[in-house]
Amino acid sequence: MVFIAGLVVTAGVVHFTRPSRPEPVYQGRTLTKWLKRLDDGQAFGISSGWIPARTPAQVEAAAAIRAMHAEAFPLLMQDIHASPSPNSFRQTLNRRISSLTRFVFSDVTEEDRVRWRAAQGLAALGPLAKPGMPELERLLFTNYFHSSIKEAAYALATMGPEGIAILTNSMRSGSEWSTMCAIWSLGQHPEAGAQAIPFLIQATSSDSEGIACGAIQVLGMLRLDAEHVVPALTNAFTSPKPAVRRDACDALGKFSQR
């Protein structure tokens, strides 16, 4: 066990020591420091059950990133591609230790955190990041090891009607995860979700449980356009999937709390 502990420490030093790069500075803090302040710690997974609330520190960080936008944008686009190598020292060590013990590292890597911070930075830029939309659209529909689908969706939702259009076209791709992330991102940015109610209503009847449940949860959070949304939620009670029926009940309950 001492040997294994030593390997873990060594891996941490190697893995978390990232090469430095020239970065813009605002009010004495580098871009990376502002991104760490902006980070909400949600690099892993998606949850359509809540709308995030920004802390004063995160609001300040978003404003700082906008102030640096010309220099920050290319670095954020670089970071949103961050992905660990399946054969990296950390991944190899994780598999080795897991084979010897019951201990398993978190699947969230430092590259995942870098990528998520970049997405939050691009979201802070909003329309200022529109030059990145073609690449973000490509990433939204490109699946690979620790891919950028979630991050691309999150950023696109802040870029106005063009970004929302990309998200609402996601079901045509046939990629379940891309569509789930698109739906989730609309819930993370209610002002964008409010412009995509017809898409969300359509998604409630998807054959995919993940897509249907995600859309129902987001509609319940937004609590908008009851005239059209409530019938869609009521119709979801006919779904053969218990999770869909459960989420529809919860979403209708939120409408009754208005």
Side-chain angles (χ1 to χ4, degrees):
M1 292 301 295
V2 173
F3 172 71
I4 292 176
L7 284 177
V8 171
V9 171
T10 301
V13 172
V14 172
H15 179 66
F16 290 105
T17 302
R18 296 177 60 84
S20 60
R21 65 181 181 183
E23 290 192 349
V25 176
Y26 181 76
Q27 294 184 347
R29 291 190 176 93
T30 64
L31 173 62
T32 293
K33 289 183 178 179
W34 283 116
L35 288 171
K36 288 182 178 179
R37 176 172 285 205
L38 185 63
D39 191 354
D40 62 4
Q42 299 298 316
F44 181 76
I46 61 174
S47 173
S48 298
W50 56 278
I51 298 174
R54 295 297 182 197
T55 65
Q58 289 173 318
V59 172
E60 181 188 18
I65 291 167
R66 285 192 292 274
M68 297 184 287
H69 74 271
E71 297 172 285
F73 172 71
L75 297 178
L76 295 173
M77 289 301 295
Q78 173 185 323
D79 285 352
I80 205 167
H81 292 82
S83 181
S85 167
N87 298 319
S88 68
F89 178 74
R90 183 184 190 278
Q91 299 298 318
T92 302
L93 179 64
N94 188 11
R95 290 192 295 268
R96 178 59 175 164
I97 293 177
S98 298
S99 69
L100 297 173
T101 72
R102 294 183 179 180
F103 181 80
V104 179
F105 286 127
S106 168
D107 193 43
V108 179
T109 68
E110 181 63 10
E111 288 83 1
D112 295 330
R113 294 185 179 92
V114 167
R115 198 170 63 245
W116 177 232
R117 290 169 189 159
Q120 292 177 96
L122 290 169
L125 295 182
L128 293 171
K130 279 187 176 181
M133 285 178 55
E135 178 61 7
L136 293 173
E137 181 176 13
R138 185 188 71 81
L139 291 173
L140 179 64
F141 302 114
T142 304
N143 193 14
Y144 55 88
F145 181 79
H146 290 255
S147 62
S148 306
I149 294 174
K150 166 188 175 177
E151 291 79 10
Y154 186 85
L156 284 166
T158 67
M159 296 182 186
E162 299 96 327
I164 294 170
I166 293 171
L167 296 173
T168 57
N169 285 330
S170 60
M171 281 202 292
R172 298 179 185 177
S173 71
S175 169
E176 181 181 37
W177 182 238
S178 296
T179 305
M180 287 175 64
C181 287
I183 290 168
W184 162 82
S185 70
L186 293 168
Q188 295 291 287
H189 304 286
E191 64 282 2
Q195 300 177 53
I197 298 298
F199 162 71
L200 294 169
I201 290 175
Q202 179 186 5
T204 63
S205 59
S206 171
D207 290 335
S208 161
E209 182 177 299
I211 291 174
C213 286
I216 289 168
Q217 290 169 18
V218 169
L219 288 169
M221 289 192 302
L222 295 177
R223 293 187 294 179
L224 298 172
D225 193 6
E227 179 183 358
H228 298 99
V229 171
V230 169
L233 296 177
T234 303
N235 187 60
F237 287 141
T238 64
S239 171
K241 300 179 174 65
V244 173
R245 298 196 301 270
R246 179 201 64 216
D247 285 345
C249 182
D250 289 344
L252 282 170
K254 291 177 181 177
F255 268 85
S256 68
Q257 297 168 10
R258 296 184 66 180

